[in-house]
Amino acid sequence: MATLLSVNVGAPKDVPWQGRTVHTGAWKSPVQGARMVRRLNVDGDGQGDLAGHGGEIRAVLVYQLQSYQYWEKQLGRDDLTFGIFGENFTVDGLPDDEVCIGDRYRIGEAEFEVTQPRVTCYRVGMRLGEPTMASLLVAHHRPGFYLRVITEGHVQAGDEIILTRKGPEELSVADTDALLYLPDRDPAKLRKALNIPALSPGWRQSFNDLASAQQPTQEPGWPGERAGSQQPREASGWPGFKAMQVTRIVPETPTVASIYLSTTDGTPLPEARPGQYLSIRLAVGDAAPAVRSYSLSSAPAADTYRISVKHEPHGKVSSYIHATLHPGSLVDIAAPRGAFVLEAGTRPIVLISAGIGATPVLAMLHHLAATRDPRPVWWIHVAHDRAHHAFADEAHALLGQLPQAHEHIYFTAEAPRRDEPYVTQGRPTASSLVAMGIPSEADAYLCGPLAFMDDVGGYLRDHGLSPERIHTEQFSALPAINPGVTPAAAVRPHQPTGPTGTGPLITFARSGITTPWSPAHASLLDLAEACDVPTRWSCRTGVCHTCITHLVAGDITYTTPPLELPEEGTVLVCCSQPTTEVVLDL
């Protein structure tokens, strides 16, 4: 019979790690006597990062004596004391390949239900001083598991663990873990997992994604982030960069110009999805070539792409484009990519933009007009004034081709004319969006400054649109995902400190940084962090795929082989190094 050997607790504390501070509850130690287990915690215990750990579904973490003994041999350690794996209950028995999701157990006065395997997290490696531990737990099928508290009560070391009910489908913790993190998934087991009511919502969503033939967009258990902000996973139209020719440059406003691009040999271009962007590489001055990304601003013809670039007063690349490029210029272009794309369907469409943020939603409008899409469309755009209202006539004409179009323009510094009933001075508000009659079941696409998207996205959610139907595009670096790391003052991306590397050039395209590789960095993620480029990660060992990033150009090698390779054209930056010059969409 299984037995509770130790009850372990620990309050969250700040721990120094790689020059940063991590707020974590991973440091747990045994306690004597009975402890009350409540709906969210064992008394005296806590979690530093409630996004990925803790809460009602993950109230208690369990790890087994037999796994301790296994790791002592594997790691050559004799110092693995109970609680070091971050568990609340150290148990004798309950192996991961026998315990099933949905099983219920009585321990002392309390009753528990198994909800999910352990979340892959770098902090278990941090606690043990074994950086690859998160990967090892999955690869060796020894993750441990979480419990939900069904009945609160006291527990203590020595209590017997009694099975009170078997979970439906009898899918083991080890098999559930492998379904998410390892290749060659069994479709029958995937169906079983989705039929278990006790399975945690985060894992259920990931399995739903897999059942829809999609990779999960983020580590299960982490909070949902702004739709469209995940790194996309699709194959490129061509590898790396290829030379394209500028065929036309058209001024749109005093600060915006449209650049028309075609192939140098007249070969057809792959069709981009409405909303995607191009990465452009330019030799600007004597420094390393600069890489920037610009949204396609129209439906591509078979032989032409169009991007539209705003001249930023201190922008090195935009200044070069406006002052130097001319018809006939050759530029290096990477294939269209991006996940902010117009989705097929029957729901109404809302396209909302501010300033140069009009470009990707304008491409969507082109597509809707070209296909005579019958869906109702709301076009909402904010500009400073009439002179700086890019694509005004173009968008107005496209809307005229649609059967159910609604146009709403806002000027922040100019009043409307009498013949412009669709123009308002000011900015969109919650009440004005309601007055437009936008249906709550609509799909909304937002692009503009971050504060603008946050405000308008909030108005739409309050109006009844579900968060997963509010899609946003951010031109700059994506928001960081650094679980548990104590927030610090934002620092603009910069060259790394220390001796200059002598290896191939690494470019972080969204952040505008190009720097030589140095073997002083353990991975591309490590270099990005040294440059204060916003990064996204969880396990740091190639398991969770949170760090997946578009590889715009170049080749890499994996220092720790991922348990499952990412899709073509993407890379796991947490465990990879360059073998050639590399351009990353970071």
Side-chain angles (χ1 to χ4, degrees), residues 238 241-249 258-270 278 280 296 300-307 325-334:
W238 61 82
F241 290 88
K242 74 174 183 179
M244 294 186 69
Q245 187 174 53
V246 176
T247 57
R248 259 199 311 157
I249 299 178
S258 289
I259 317 298
Y260 291 77
L261 302 161
S262 65
T263 58
T264 57
D265 57 5
T267 55
L269 290 166
L278 300 179
I280 180 170
L296 289 158
D303 60 349
T304 305
Y305 288 148
R306 183 182 80 172
I307 59 175
L325 284 192
H326 56 82
S329 294
L330 294 179
V331 293
D332 290 338
I333 300 291

Side-chain angles (χ1 to χ4, degrees), residues 440-527:
S440 60
E441 70 273 16
D443 281 320
Y445 299 85
L446 281 64
C447 188
L450 185 58
F452 168 81
M453 293 192 292
D454 286 344
D455 288 344
V456 175
Y459 300 154
L460 293 173
R461 288 190 295 273
D462 292 343
H463 182 53
L465 273 72
S466 58
E468 63 269 18
R469 291 182 182 168
I470 302 173
H471 312 273
T472 62
E473 175 71 310
Q474 188 168 328
F475 290 151
S476 58
L478 298 174
I481 299 176
N482 302 163
V485 175
T486 302
V491 177
R492 189 179 183 88
H494 55 81
Q495 294 292 320
T497 58
T500 302
T502 58
L505 291 176
I506 310 301
T507 296
F508 301 109
R510 285 180 180 260
S511 302
I513 294 294
T514 298
T515 190
W517 171 256
S518 166
H521 302 291
S523 65
L524 288 165
L525 172 61
D526 188 40
L527 175 60

Side-chain angles (χ1 to χ4, degrees), residues 98-460:
E98 293 182 12
V99 171
C100 296
I101 305 299
D103 284 357
R104 290 191 177 187
Y105 295 94
R106 178 166 293 281
I107 308 174
E109 299 173 351
E111 187 175 9
F112 305 88
E113 182 176 60
V114 180
T115 58
Q116 67 170 71
R118 175 201 299 264
V119 171
T120 57
C121 174
Y122 72 104
R123 279 160 289 200
V124 66
M126 179 180 163
R127 177 70 178 89
L128 271 76
E130 301 281 352
T132 62
M133 201 69 221
S135 175
L136 293 174
L137 291 173
V138 175
H140 291 247
H141 307 286
R142 293 179 177 272
F145 54 88
Y146 281 105
L147 299 173
R148 178 169 70 97
V149 179
I150 303 296
T151 304
E152 296 182 347
H154 290 89
V155 301
Q156 63 180 334
D159 283 342
E160 291 184 352
I161 302 175
I162 302 168
L163 178 68
T164 60
R165 191 181 80 178
K166 283 298 292 181
E169 304 296 347
E170 298 191 7
L171 186 67
S172 75
V173 167
D175 283 347
T176 304
D177 201 52
L179 265 181
L180 185 67
Y181 294 124
L182 299 179
D184 304 319
R185 296 174 179 88
D186 183 344
K189 288 183 179 179
L190 192 58
R191 289 191 294 271
K192 282 186 175 184
L194 290 170
N195 200 37
I196 303 174
L199 183 68
S200 70
W203 283 69
R204 180 175 301 280
Q205 181 58 54
S206 293
F207 288 148
N208 273 322
D209 289 343
L210 288 169
S212 301
Q214 298 174 352
Q215 295 252 0
T217 55
Q218 61 185 49
E219 173 74 357
W222 300 105
E225 55 186 327
R226 179 181 292 109
S229 66
Q230 289 91 1
Q231 284 282 346
R233 297 180 169 107
E234 77 247 5
S236 299
W238 61 82
F241 290 88
K242 74 174 183 179
M244 294 186 69
Q245 187 174 53
V246 176
T247 57
R248 259 199 311 157
I249 299 178
V250 177
E252 305 287 356
T253 73
T255 59
V256 175
S258 289
I259 317 298
Y260 291 77
L261 302 161
S262 65
T263 58
T264 57
D265 57 5
T267 55
L269 290 166
E271 184 176 354
R273 298 179 67 186
Q276 290 190 310
Y277 61 87
L278 300 179
S279 293
I280 180 170
R281 183 171 64 187
L282 295 165
V284 181
D286 297 329
V291 178
R292 297 292 187 271
S293 296
Y294 299 104
S295 293
L296 289 158
S297 57
S298 69
D303 60 349
T304 305
Y305 288 148
R306 183 182 80 172
I307 59 175
S308 300
V309 180
K310 180 183 178 183
H311 180 208
E312 301 291 350
H314 303 290
K316 178 175 65 174
V317 175
S318 68
S319 295
Y320 179 89
I321 288 173
H322 277 255
T324 307
L325 284 192
H326 56 82
S329 294
L330 294 179
V331 293
D332 290 338
I333 300 291
R337 50 176 40 88
F340 181 70
V341 294
L342 182 68
E343 296 180 359
T346 59
R347 292 190 293 268
I349 300 294
V350 185
L351 305 176
I352 308 179
S353 58
I356 195 61
T359 52
V361 291
L362 182 63
M364 296 179 186
L365 184 60
H366 268 278
H367 177 82
L368 293 168
T371 57
R372 297 297 190 270
D373 198 293
R375 288 176 284 182
V377 175
W378 278 258
W379 174 264
I380 305 166
H381 180 70
V382 181
H384 183 263
D385 53 30
R386 191 168 283 99
H388 292 86
H389 182 193
F391 318 110
D393 294 339
E394 182 177 332
H396 189 72
L398 291 169
L399 290 164
Q401 300 174 34
L402 295 171
Q404 299 185 67
H406 309 266
E407 184 175 12
H408 300 273
I409 305 300
Y410 289 83
F411 292 147
T412 58
E414 185 173 346
R417 296 192 300 234
R418 290 184 178 181
D419 61 344
E420 296 174 327
Y422 52 88
V423 177
T424 303
Q425 185 170 4
R427 303 176 189 275
T429 63
S431 59
S432 67
L433 291 176
V434 170
M436 292 175 195
I438 296 171
S440 60
E441 70 273 16
D443 281 320
Y445 299 85
L446 281 64
C447 188
L450 185 58
F452 168 81
M453 293 192 292
D454 286 344
D455 288 344
V456 175
Y459 300 154
L460 293 173

Side-chain angles (χ1 to χ4, degrees), residues 217-218 225-226 228-231 474 477-483 510 525 528-529 533-540 544-549 572-574 585-586:
T217 55
Q218 61 185 49
E225 55 186 327
R226 179 181 292 109
S229 66
Q230 289 91 1
Q231 284 282 346
Q474 188 168 328
L478 298 174
I481 299 176
N482 302 163
R510 285 180 180 260
L525 172 61
E529 291 176 331
V533 168
T535 55
R536 304 155 72 81
W537 47 264
S538 174
C539 72
R540 300 181 71 95
C544 70
H545 287 215
T546 302
C547 73
I548 192 167
T549 302
L572 303 180
V573 294
C574 74
D585 187 27
L586 272 178

